[in-house]
């Protein structure tokens, strides 16, 4: 059971894939009406858990639970398709559980099954309106207007109704997706329901994990309705996989537990190339991120003038003071005697470099080491014809741009805000690199099209320096994994998960305003310790 849960928790589907999976179920003999009854029954039970809980919590503050509380009034928003069908079954079940139920349905042409459910609800005496106003006094709204069958931009009257109900500030539970969101891109098609909760049915829809959807999704959870794994496999096996990073996948990739017999050189040697007189903090934060990764040996190449501050901050690291330019950037990568770039298991280059350090980038690009480029490393690369430069490199390369850096690196890839999954996949395919596109839902892709999405983060990370910490952390993980058979994109995805989980823990203890980058580095180990104990 746990195995199924883990597999289901990872899978992300598009509308087409969900349609094809459901078609297999119906072709195998499952009556549509039976599946709808099963799914809607699960939804109705979950709604009562969520909703009754909040009622009881609300009443807890009062002297006593008044037995004469009027039944909660629930408004059902009904669309013309099976999303609407689901909602009408929920309506009937809540009615039988004693709720007062009102229905809004502005559509005259409904799918057959949906129409039958509406007819039966009407026969039970449930009031049905073609305008939204009568539902204004409801305590809770259930959004069954559109699910993954939404094909085009919403128009009136339903668009205006959605805009009105969004102003009511009432709890809204959306079935499958908030109506109005594009199932794959998360784009708002005209307008969309701002859900308090989204109950995603069967498998996670890709649109729910795209940054532009997050203002509408609310708290999202999956309602598993026992889709056979064989049906999922049959539909997805010929497409590039798109998965959610879960705690299980992340922990399985971490270099834990360590072998009982080991030594510092067996646990990876990372070279960081970072910092400038102007941005010494970036070098420190990158070093602290690398330290937290557990990497066995850490060397940090910085301009000579940063050497003393780096030694003070990171006494365990080998600080390499390099000749610097007038402006205080690294002029030349001057490694200690008897070492060259092949002495390291991985290189991470970029934070705080400034573009004056551009000469060293070609040197690291010419190396054969696994290489992570971030910040100014990316900005310098963007001046060098990214695609051609990386195609020539043909070695493990990881790019960690935010949206702005992404646009500079890949100016010909359509706007990364429209479909971040597609844009990241395209960038990885063209460059051959593993590309991590930072965001509220960070996307990682490799050149074969495999995509991982980090499904949980916190706006607390929206601060200078967070990215430097991530660079050091992932660099350290790459160095430790270099002798292991782990897919690079999984290592990178684990770093993104670890980084965001640390920020989430820090925000819980210090609020979202209390997670500066230096504090974040202290939570990297704390979150791991707490997570591993709970494994
Ligand atoms: N099939 C099942 O038993 C299950 C269905 N599930 C639920 O059904 C929806 C998918 O249902 P579907 O009928 O394919 O589409 P929707 O209800 O999402 O869309 C409604 C319908 O509306 C038309 N339409 C599309 N765009 C617009 C628009 N902009 N304006 C007006 N009308 C539009 C289009 O013809 C659609 O058919 C799914 O989300 C689940 O909620 C479950 O998966 C359980 C099993
Ligand atoms: K919906």
């Amino acid at each position: 059971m746990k195995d199924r849960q883990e597999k289901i928790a990872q899978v992300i589907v598009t509308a087409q894939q969900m349609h094809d999976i459901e078609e297999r179920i119906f072709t195998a003999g499952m009556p549509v009406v039976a599946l709808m009854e099963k799914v809607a029954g699960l939804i109705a039970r979950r709604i009562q858990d969520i909703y009754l809980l909040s009622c009881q919590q609300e009443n807890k503050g009062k002297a006593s639970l008044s037995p004469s509380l009027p039944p909660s009034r629930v408004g059902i928003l009904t669309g013309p398709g099976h999303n609407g069908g689901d909602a009408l079954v929920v309506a009937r079940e809540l009615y039988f559980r004693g709720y007062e139920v009102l229905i809004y349905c502005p559509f005259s042409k409904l799918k057959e099954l949906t129409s039958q459910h509406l007819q039966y609800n009407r026969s039970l005496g449930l009031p049905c309106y073609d305008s939204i106003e009568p539902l204004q006094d409801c305590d809770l709204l259930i959004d069954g207007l559109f699910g993954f069958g939404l094909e085009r931009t919403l128009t009136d009257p339903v668009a205006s109704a959605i805009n009105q109900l969004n102003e009511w500030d009432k709890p809204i539970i959306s079935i499958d997706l908030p109506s109005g969101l594009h199932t794959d891109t998360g784009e708002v098609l005209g307008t969309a329901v701002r859900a308090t909760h989204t109950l995603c049915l069967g498998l996670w829809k890709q649109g729910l994990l795209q940054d532009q959807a997050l203002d509408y999704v609310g708290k999202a959870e999956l309602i598993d309705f026992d889709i056979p794994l064989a049906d999922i496999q049959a539909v997805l096996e010929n497409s590039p996989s798109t998965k959610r990073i879960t705690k299980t996948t992340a922990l399985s990739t971490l270099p834990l537990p360590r072998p009982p017999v080991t030594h510092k050189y067996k646990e990876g040697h990372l070279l960081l190339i970072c910092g400038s007189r102007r941005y010494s903090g970036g070098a420190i934060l990158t070093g602290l991120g690398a330290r937290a990764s557990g990497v066995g040996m850490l060397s940090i190449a910085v301009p000579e003038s940063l050497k003393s501050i780096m030694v003070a901050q990171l006494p365990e690291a080998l600080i390499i003071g390099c000749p610097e330019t007038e402006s205080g950037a690294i002029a030349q990568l001057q490694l200690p005697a008897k070492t060259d770039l092949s002495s390291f298991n991985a290189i991470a280059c970029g934070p705080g470099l400034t573009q004056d350090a551009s000469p060293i980038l070609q040197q690291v690009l010419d190396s054969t080491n696994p290489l992570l480029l971030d910040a100014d490393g990316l900005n310098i690369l963007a001046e060098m014809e990214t695609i051609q430069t990386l195609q020539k490199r043909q070695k493990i390369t990881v790019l960690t741009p935010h949206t702005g850096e992404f646009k500079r690196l890949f100016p010909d890839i359509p706007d990364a805000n429209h479909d971040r999954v597609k844009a990241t996949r395209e960038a990885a395919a063209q460059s051959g690199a593993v590309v991590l596109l930072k965001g509220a839902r960070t996307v990682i892709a490799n050149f074969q099209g495999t995509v991982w999405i980090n499904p949980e983060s916190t706006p607390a990370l929206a601060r200078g320096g967070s990215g430097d910490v991530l660079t050091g952390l992932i660099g350290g993980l790459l160095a430790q994994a270099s002798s292991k058979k782990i897919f690079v994109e999984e290592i990178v995805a684990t770093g993104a998960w670890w980084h965001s989980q640390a920020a989430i823990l820090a925000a819980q203890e210090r609020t979202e305003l209390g997670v500066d980058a230096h504090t974040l580095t202290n939570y990297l180990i704390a979150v791991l310790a707490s997570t591993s104990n709970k494994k």
Side-chain angles (χ1 to χ4, degrees):
M1 197 48 197
K2 255 176 98 70
D3 187 41
R4 172 191 167 81
Q5 265 176 347
E6 174 55 25
K7 284 199 170 82
I8 294 288
Q10 288 185 19
V11 174
I12 297 173
V13 291
T14 61
Q16 186 57 52
Q17 290 168 334
M18 190 66 193
H19 174 272
D20 295 348
I21 289 168
E22 288 195 354
E23 271 314 300
R24 286 177 61 89
I25 298 170
F26 301 138
T27 306
M30 179 68 165
V32 177
V33 61
L35 187 59
M36 187 171 284
E37 203 60 30
K38 174 183 176 123
V39 170
L42 291 167
I43 297 169
R45 277 192 289 284
R46 187 67 191 122
I47 287 171
Q48 292 173 80
D49 295 346
I50 301 173
Y51 185 61
L52 270 182
L53 257 180
S54 61
C55 271
Q56 280 155 1
Q57 275 155 2
E58 251 165 47
N59 293 316
K60 263 192 193 129
K62 295 188 181 126
S64 70
L65 241 181
S66 144
S68 61
L69 261 183
S72 304
R73 182 177 295 169
V74 182
I76 307 287
L77 313 171
T78 307
H82 288 174
N83 198 246
D86 287 347
L88 288 167
V89 174
V90 170
R92 180 223 310 150
E93 291 309 301
L94 293 182
Y95 167 74
F96 287 136
R97 296 285 81 72
Y99 289 77
E100 187 185 348
V101 175
L102 294 78
I103 296 168
Y104 162 70
C105 182
F107 301 98
S108 48
K109 259 171 77 7
L110 308 180
K111 279 191 171 176
E112 179 54 28
L113 196 47
T114 308
S115 173
Q116 288 169 351
H117 284 303
L118 182 59
Q119 182 193 339
Y120 184 62
N121 283 348
R122 279 198 165 114
S123 77
L124 294 171
L126 274 59
C128 184
Y129 305 95
D130 60 5
S131 65
I132 193 71
E133 286 75 11
L135 278 68
Q136 184 150 11
D137 297 337
C138 288
D139 309 297
L140 173 68
L141 297 165
I142 309 297
D143 162 26
L145 289 167
F146 298 102
F148 69 76
L150 183 66
E151 293 146 350
R152 52 192 186 278
T153 303
L154 295 183
T155 52
D156 283 346
V158 76
S160 306
I162 288 174
N163 291 333
Q164 270 181 274
L165 70 91
N166 279 341
E167 298 304 315
W168 291 347
D169 199 18
K170 289 284 169 75
I172 304 175
I173 298 182
S174 281
I175 295 174
D176 212 8
L177 295 115
S179 300
L181 287 192
H182 188 288
T183 307
D184 302 350
T185 67
E187 187 184 355
V188 174
L189 297 178
T191 187
V193 168
R194 286 182 185 278
T196 317
H197 267 89
T198 296
L199 300 182
C200 185
L201 305 181
L203 296 169
W204 286 106
K205 308 307 182 292
Q206 184 173 288
L208 298 177
L209 291 138
Q210 300 261 32
D211 281 22
Q212 60 190 347
L214 297 185
D215 283 344
Y216 297 85
V217 174
K219 189 175 176 332
E221 61 179 83
L222 192 65
I223 301 274
D224 181 0
F225 60 80
D226 304 320
I227 300 174
L229 295 178
D231 288 322
I232 300 169
Q233 166 77 18
V235 170
L236 299 188
E237 64 189 352
N238 300 321
S239 348
S241 97
T242 310
K243 289 184 179 171
R244 294 167 75 250
I245 308 167
T246 62
K247 181 167 86 172
T248 305
T249 40
L251 291 182
S252 67
T253 309
L254 282 175
L256 280 174
R258 276 213 168 151
V261 178
T262 184
H263 56 73
K264 62 185 176 185
Y265 288 106
K266 277 190 74 178
E267 298 305 335
H269 191 172
L270 169 67
L271 171 62
L272 292 179
I273 306 170
C274 50
S276 57
R277 206 182 308 145
R278 202 181 323 157
Y279 301 115
S280 50
I284 295 169
L285 291 167
T286 309
L288 292 174
R291 169 197 277 177
S293 76
V295 67
M297 285 292 290
L298 174 60
S299 292
I300 311 179
V302 291
E304 179 61 33
S305 54
L306 266 58
K307 185 164 181 176
S308 51
I309 187 173
M310 292 300 289
V311 171
Q313 293 285 334
L314 292 136
E316 78 282 358
L318 302 174
I319 306 302
I320 304 166
C322 299
E324 51 188 86
T325 64
E326 269 301 297
S327 65
I330 299 177
Q332 186 198 346
L333 207 45
Q334 192 168 319
L335 298 175
K338 295 204 205 78
T339 55
D340 62 26
L341 288 179
S342 64
S343 318
F344 305 98
N345 301 106
I347 301 171
C349 173
L353 274 189
T354 78
Q355 306 233 11
D356 296 346
S358 52
I360 58 164
L361 203 82
Q362 192 54 58
Q363 197 177 344
V364 294
L365 284 165
D366 293 342
S367 75
T368 57
N369 312 65
L371 171 64
L372 185 154
L373 294 177
D374 183 37
D376 284 326
L378 297 173
N379 294 329
I380 297 167
L381 175 64
E383 305 297 316
M384 297 164 71
E385 289 302 317
T386 310
I387 309 287
Q388 289 82 332
T389 306
L390 292 181
Q391 280 176 345
K392 222 165 63 221
R393 177 170 146 77
Q394 292 295 321
K395 294 286 176 237
I396 292 174
T397 309
V398 177
L399 309 179
T400 57
H402 55 56
T403 312
E405 291 158 342
F406 184 93
K407 285 181 184 155
R408 281 193 290 279
L409 283 165
F410 304 104
D412 303 331
I413 290 180
D415 179 10
N417 293 319
H418 173 70
D419 184 342
R420 289 165 43 89
V421 173
K422 189 173 173 207
T424 311
R425 192 171 253 148
E426 183 59 29
Q430 287 186 22
S431 64
V434 169
V435 180
L436 176 152
L437 175 57
K438 292 172 187 167
R441 294 295 176 266
T442 290
V443 182
I444 295 105
N446 77 359
F447 74 96
Q448 290 127 322
T450 300
V451 161
W452 289 94
I453 302 178
N454 186 17
E456 216 189 345
S457 189
T458 163
L461 277 172
R463 297 182 72 151
S466 302
D468 301 338
V469 174
L470 180 65
T471 295
L473 185 66
I474 295 179
L477 291 174
L478 287 172
Q480 293 176 75
S482 58
S483 57
K484 301 183 180 99
K485 290 262 164 288
I486 306 174
F487 291 118
V488 174
E489 65 275 5
E490 288 188 16
I491 298 164
V492 175
T494 294
W497 177 88
W498 185 356
H499 185 254
S500 60
Q501 289 299 316
I504 289 165
L505 178 61
Q508 278 162 0
E509 294 182 8
R510 302 167 53 95
T511 83
E512 290 173 352
L513 304 181
V515 189
D516 59 275
H518 195 280
T519 299
L520 173 64
T521 61
N522 298 327
Y523 279 83
L524 284 168
I525 290 306
V527 76
L528 211 52
S530 65
T531 313
S532 310
N533 298 340
K534 282 187 215 134
K535 220 173 11 180

